[in-house]
Amino acid sequence: MYIYFCSWGDMDLKLIEADCHHHRIDLDWADSYFDVKKFYNQLKGKQGKPYGLTTALKREQIELEGTHHRALDDAYNLTKLFCRYIDEWGY
């Protein structure tokens, strides 16, 4: 079984890195980081400003569940989008 740390954009990664540094926590586990926003926009050939998560979900006809920008809700919605393209991304 593989475990990947995914987020929509690199802001989450930067926040977690800063928090780990502050608490002196090793970051080796973050080597499996996958920026879904970056790869989704590449997959769709998007030029210029990238799609946001809400727009990507609408484009894919995936229902946004919960409240946008709530960590657990965003993680759930991101997972649905990630799973839709898991084969294209080679995971």
Side-chain angles (χ1 to χ4, degrees):
M1 175 167 71
Y2 295 98
I3 297 173
Y4 295 96
F5 168 46
C6 301
S7 72
W8 190 262
D10 63 356
M11 181 56 73
D12 291 330
L13 178 61
K14 290 175 183 175
L15 292 170
I16 290 173
E17 285 176 336
D19 203 40
C20 286
H21 179 72
H22 175 75
H23 294 285
R24 297 185 180 121
I25 297 172
D26 185 32
L27 278 168
D28 288 345
W29 59 271
D31 289 343
S32 64
Y33 175 69
F34 185 82
D35 182 348
V36 180
K37 180 179 185 178
K38 175 183 172 184
F39 286 99
Y40 177 80
N41 281 280
Q42 286 177 353
L43 181 70
K44 296 299 176 178
K46 179 71 168 107
Q47 300 293 317
K49 184 178 178 184
Y51 295 122
L53 180 57
T54 302
T55 301
L57 293 169
K58 285 179 187 174
R59 288 178 51 83
E60 300 301 324
Q61 298 178 333
I62 298 173
E63 180 183 355
L64 173 69
E65 296 187 47
T67 303
H68 186 48
H69 289 300
R70 286 281 202 30
L72 190 56
D73 295 338
D74 280 356
Y76 181 71
N77 289 304
L78 179 63
T79 299
K80 292 189 291 184
L81 185 62
F82 178 82
C83 288
R84 174 155 301 172
Y85 289 100
I86 197 166
D87 292 331
E88 283 85 343
W89 288 323
Y91 292 97

